């Protein structure tokens, strides 16, 4: 409990505040951020927001999840496997990632005016939420109890995440500039 701010957390995956941030913290922060975007999308869909606004937000969600799954698959999951984390749990996580990637491809390949677009974004949120719950309740506690160097992994994850986000930035920046100039 952080008594000074009246905030208590029973989240077993969070280290004490004095501990350095680690890989689990970075991944959990991504989970919270994308959850907020899914909730925002749900509100937009209920209010019949414009196709452009919904497409832009769905694109942000897809971009964020693409980077997140890639850093998990390239760095975190191999380290977890090497530390002896249950291979069935890791296999299930990879299958869940593939399901999310399939939905992301469907969302990116269609328009908000298409049948089932909003439903696909909603189901993607459900799939991600299920995956996140399993990571937080099963995988992350096991990783914390393992021999994994979660502080070093955080640095590696953050570096790779920045690379991937940087590679995606020029397209997004160019699109925003064109939109601002009325060219897109």
């Amino acid at each position: 409990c952080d008594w000074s701010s009246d905030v208590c957390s029973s989240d077993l995956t969070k280290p004490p505040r004095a501990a350095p941030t680690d890989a689990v913290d970075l991944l959990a922060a991504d989970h919270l951020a994308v959850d907020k975007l899914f909730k925002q999308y749900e509100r937009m869909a209920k209010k019949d927001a414009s196709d452009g606004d919904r497409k832009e937000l769905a694109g942000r969600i897809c971009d964020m999840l693409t980077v997140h799954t890639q850093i998990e698959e390239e760095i975190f999951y191999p380290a977890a496997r090497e530390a002896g984390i249950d291979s069935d749990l890791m296999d299930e996580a990879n299958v869940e990632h593939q399901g999310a990637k399939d939905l992301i491809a469907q969302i990116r390949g269609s328009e908000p005016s298409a049948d089932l677009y909003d439903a696909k974004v909603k189901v993607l949120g459900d799939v991600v939420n299920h995956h996140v719950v399993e990571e937080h309740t099963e995988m992350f506690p096991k990783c914390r109890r393992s021999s994994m160097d979660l502080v070093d992994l955080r640095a590696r994850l953050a570096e790779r995440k920045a690379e991937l986000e940087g590679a995606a930035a020029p397209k997004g920046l160019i699109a925003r500039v064109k939109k601002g100039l009325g060219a897109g």
Side-chain angles (χ1 to χ4, degrees):
C1 286
D2 179 0
W3 298 109
S4 64
S5 65
D6 295 330
V7 175
C8 292
S9 174
S10 62
D11 182 355
L12 299 176
T13 65
K14 283 189 173 180
R17 289 191 187 273
T21 58
D22 64 24
V24 170
D25 296 322
L26 182 144
L27 298 173
D30 280 358
H31 295 160
L32 290 172
V34 79
D35 183 60
K36 287 180 183 179
L37 294 180
F38 276 118
K39 288 176 180 170
Q40 183 180 349
Y41 188 92
E42 188 175 330
R43 287 190 301 272
M44 288 175 74
K46 284 182 181 176
K47 293 181 180 181
D48 291 325
S50 74
D51 285 359
D53 289 344
R54 289 190 349 267
K55 185 174 181 81
E56 181 180 340
L57 184 54
R60 286 177 52 205
I61 290 168
C62 291
D63 290 346
M64 180 181 277
L65 289 173
T66 298
V67 168
H68 180 84
T69 57
Q70 189 166 341
I71 65 172
E72 280 187 333
E73 291 172 359
E74 287 180 4
I75 300 167
F76 191 78
Y77 288 0
R81 284 183 189 275
E82 187 176 311
I85 303 303
D86 180 20
S87 63
D88 289 341
L89 181 62
M90 301 311 301
D91 291 346
E92 185 178 329
N94 280 322
V95 170
E96 289 169 348
H97 275 195
Q98 189 56 54
K101 289 177 189 178
D102 292 344
L103 281 167
I104 288 168
Q106 290 177 40
I107 292 164
R108 285 185 168 154
S110 65
E111 295 296 323
S113 58
D115 288 342
L116 307 178
Y117 186 88
D118 290 335
K120 288 176 184 178
V121 176
K122 167 89 170 89
V123 170
L124 177 61
D126 293 344
V127 167
V128 168
N129 186 56
H130 171 81
H131 177 72
V132 164
V133 167
E134 287 190 346
E135 282 189 339
H136 284 257
T137 61
E138 296 179 46
M139 184 188 301
F140 290 169
K142 288 178 181 181
C143 291
R144 287 208 183 276
R145 291 188 301 267
S146 77
S147 62
M148 293 172 70
D149 183 347
L150 295 172
V151 174
D152 176 66
L153 275 175
R154 184 197 194 290
R156 292 174 45 212
L157 290 168
E159 181 180 345
R160 182 64 175 136
K161 182 177 176 183
E163 286 174 10
L164 293 168
E165 289 173 342
K171 287 192 298 185
L173 178 61
I174 291 168
R176 286 193 299 277
V177 168
K178 284 182 177 178
K179 185 176 181 181
L181 297 174

